[in-house]
Amino acid sequence: MAENPDDVLHVEGGKPLNGTIKVRGAKNFVSKAMVAALLAPGKSVLKNVPEIRDVHVVSDLLRLHGVDVDVDGANGIVTIDASRVQLADVADVDTLSGSSRIPILFSGPLVHRLGEAFIPALGGCAIGGRPIDFHLETLRKLGATVDKEHKDGIHITAPNGLHGAKIHLPYPSVGATEQTLLAAVLAEGKTELSGAATEPEIMDLVCVLQKMGAIISVDVDRTFRIEGVKELQGYTHTSLTDRIEAASWASAALATHGDIFVKGATQPEMITFLNVFRKVGGKFEVTDKGIRFWHPGGDLKPVAIETDVHPGFMTDWQQPLVVALTQANGLSIVHETVYENRFGFTKPLVEMGATIQLYRECLGSLPCRFRQRNYKHSAVIFGPTPLTGRDIDVPDLRGGFSHLIAALAASGPSDVHGISLIDRGYADFRGKLEALGADFD
Ligand code: EPZ
């Protein structure tokens, strides 16, 4: 098939990115808050919503279920009226199935509203196996019957409603934690969820659910306790900022010797990233309006990091930072403990001149599910190495943004193919690149 010319970005690299950009709400919260609106037969209003493709995918999924959704992209306001909810046509839902992992989170809300849910095969970035066993086990524990044999996907029913249960997650999965919260808030009785994840995006979802009328508490040992209530009402809420997008632009400032003020970036959710940014030699200044990130000149320093669940170093921060680490003076080590296969994006970086070696061993001390298994989940980066532009194919959202950063930092031209994938999670990145003085078309 012929390539769409709009899907290729031609970049002339080697220019520092300088200027101001604005980052809105978090992709990985907004999509979940939109699903939460399904729980209440009324109107919900979500503010600070970014103009990204994932918002449109979730809007379309909601509309297929009879829900009214109005997206005011310019002002970042999404209004959802879930007074009416109906079962969607299986074939229609299927057309959106390859686009996102969000459909699985419709399970609990749809079962509460309609007694059943149909979940198509899931999409999302190809960065590991990305199973949904924890999600399905959670739903079963809450009393749902899960039929995986359905020819088009998964059919979930609960003729007698969902009821509270004691659930333990074998790994603190973000999605499975959200699944449990969204399903347990209206389940009859109490639910205890131990081994949960507590990312800031999850805590913002808890805030939304509490506004809606839910009773949820969290213990210091990452156990959520949910007391089911009989009904919930719509909410009005302003999303927390996208800390992944903010960190991506920070890494771009470092890799291109630039100076970027990220309006909207907030410190509390980025403490771990900021510590690493400082250790690498980047400078930042936190203000009431955002965070300024810049390369102060001189050598960047190598670091050893391990990705982890919150409050650890996010796996989604790893990929953009690795590009900056190719410019640090010495050996950096990154041990990826969240996804088994998140270093595929380094191959094009090596072809651009980076020296990166991947290892099956755990190069770090965190407990890791991939120890003694055959996954190349540790990377050693030796720098500084000059990068040279080339043709690149975008593999996944964060890997793709990293390639874009590499192209901007490299000398000479690069063609970045499949660039539209980046629209899934980086709002108006072309406009932002322009504002930062990048040379591209
Ligand atoms: C969310 O994915 C984010 N996506 C990811 O963002 C992010 O990387 C990830 O959390 C970790 O922070 C959204 O919020 C839409 P997980 P999620 O369940 O919920 C294993 C981005 O670029 N697991 O916490 O799908 C899984 O394989 C992305 O914005 C199971 O084994 O992640 C992985 O190794 C990509 N069984 C680990 O847990 C399950 O049933 C963490 O996954 C579920 C997960």
Side-chain angles (χ1 to χ4, degrees):
M1 215 165 62
E3 188 178 35
N4 177 352
D6 289 345
D7 211 13
V8 186
L9 202 74
H10 177 78
V11 177
E12 290 290 335
K15 271 181 78 179
L17 295 183
N18 290 328
T20 297
I21 49 145
K22 163 110 178 94
V23 171
R24 281 194 193 158
K27 157 185 165 286
N28 291 345
F29 160 75
V30 161
S31 43
K32 326 296 172 61
M34 290 175 72
V35 178
L38 255 187
L39 288 163
K43 201 164 104 178
S44 293
V45 180
L46 188 58
K47 299 179 188 172
N48 199 26
V49 176
E51 288 191 275
I52 52 172
R53 202 163 67 239
D54 270 21
V55 167
H56 294 289
V57 170
V58 183
S59 301
D60 287 346
L61 273 168
L62 287 167
R63 290 189 188 111
L64 287 179
H65 289 90
V67 175
D68 280 338
V69 185
D70 178 66
V71 181
D72 172 356
N75 293 306
I77 300 174
V78 172
T79 308
I80 300 167
D81 187 341
S83 301
R84 202 170 59 96
V85 176
Q86 67 193 33
L87 267 187
D89 187 87
V90 170
D92 288 342
V93 179
D94 215 30
T95 55
L96 291 169
S97 67
S99 319
S100 159
R101 291 179 61 77
I102 303 300
I104 188 75
L105 296 178
F106 276 59
S107 308
L110 284 181
V111 165
H112 284 302
R113 294 295 299 275
L114 302 170
E116 61 178 317
F118 172 76
I119 310 302
L122 297 178
C125 289
I127 47 183
R130 305 197 77 185
I132 51 167
D133 49 337
F134 305 161
H135 293 251
L136 301 184
E137 190 52 25
T138 285
L139 289 164
R140 286 194 187 100
K141 287 224 165 97
L142 292 169
T145 302
V146 177
D147 173 13
K148 285 169 69 180
E149 305 307 318
H150 193 284
K151 66 179 175 39
D152 302 308
I154 302 169
H155 190 221
I156 299 161
T157 48
N160 302 321
L162 299 180
H163 52 74
K166 215 169 163 171
I167 299 165
H168 177 77
L169 294 180
Y171 181 78
S173 150
V174 169
T177 300
E178 293 160 341
Q179 178 76 263
T180 311
L181 293 169
L182 289 165
V185 280
L186 282 176
E188 193 193 334
K190 296 183 181 176
T191 296
E192 176 187 296
L193 173 68
S194 55
T198 55
E199 315 322 82
E201 293 75 17
I202 295 175
M203 297 316 294
D204 215 19
L205 181 64
V206 169
C207 291
V208 162
L209 294 169
Q210 189 177 52
K211 283 180 176 175
M212 296 176 81
I215 300 174
I216 304 170
S217 61
V218 57
D219 297 349
V220 281
D221 65 350
R222 287 201 271 107
T223 299
F224 282 100
R225 294 179 198 282
I226 305 128
E227 293 181 34
V229 295
K230 287 211 158 22
E231 55 184 22
L232 296 170
Q233 70 237 7
Y235 65 84
T236 298
H237 190 80
T238 301
S239 168
L240 82 170
T241 304
D242 198 311
R243 63 194 171 120
I244 308 176
E245 187 182 352
S248 301
W249 290 112
S251 296
L254 215 49
T256 65
H257 282 251
D259 186 336
I260 303 181
F261 182 63
V262 183
K263 249 178 102 178
T266 45
Q267 185 180 19
E269 298 79 25
M270 295 190 73
I271 289 174
T272 308
F273 178 82
L274 293 173
N275 284 335
V276 172
F277 192 82
R278 177 166 281 159
K279 284 203 241 176
V280 176
K283 293 272 186 203
F284 62 87
E285 182 188 11
V286 180
T287 75
D288 289 347
K289 291 206 162 56
I291 307 180
R292 177 184 160 210
F293 299 93
W294 74 98
H295 188 311
D299 279 352
L300 295 180
K301 295 185 274 291
V303 283
I305 50 176
E306 299 185 78
T307 64
D308 201 0
V309 292
H310 188 73
F313 191 90
M314 284 188 95
T315 169
D316 304 292
W317 288 333
Q318 174 262 102
Q319 290 160 301
L321 189 75
V322 162
V323 181
L325 292 179
T326 66
Q327 303 309 307
N329 192 358
L331 271 187
S332 292
I333 299 173
V334 181
H335 179 208
E336 169 62 59
T337 75
V338 180
Y339 291 112
E340 69 274 24
N341 188 21
R342 212 172 192 180
F343 282 123
F345 77 102
T346 58
K347 194 164 172 258
L349 298 184
V350 170
E351 287 162 3
M352 292 173 86
T355 304
I356 303 176
Q357 275 178 344
L358 303 183
Y359 293 87
R360 293 184 169 81
E361 290 74 18
C362 294
L363 299 183
S365 56
L366 280 181
C368 174
R369 291 165 298 151
F370 315 131
R371 190 175 291 275
Q372 308 296 350
R373 298 183 56 195
N374 219 11
Y375 301 119
K376 289 187 174 171
H377 68 289
S378 293
V380 174
I381 303 129
F382 179 72
T385 46
L387 300 176
T388 313
R390 67 182 297 275
D391 268 24
I392 312 168
D393 287 311
V394 166
D396 61 73
L397 179 60
R398 308 298 167 196
F401 195 82
S402 309
H403 291 164
L404 187 55
I405 298 176
L408 291 159
S411 59
S414 294
D415 280 334
V416 188
H417 300 264
I419 197 80
S420 58
L421 195 62
I422 294 180
D423 290 318
R424 265 197 59 208
Y426 291 89
D428 187 27
F429 70 89
R430 293 173 190 80
K432 289 174 186 166
L433 287 177
E434 214 169 287
L436 296 172
D439 191 351
F440 70 99
D441 56 49

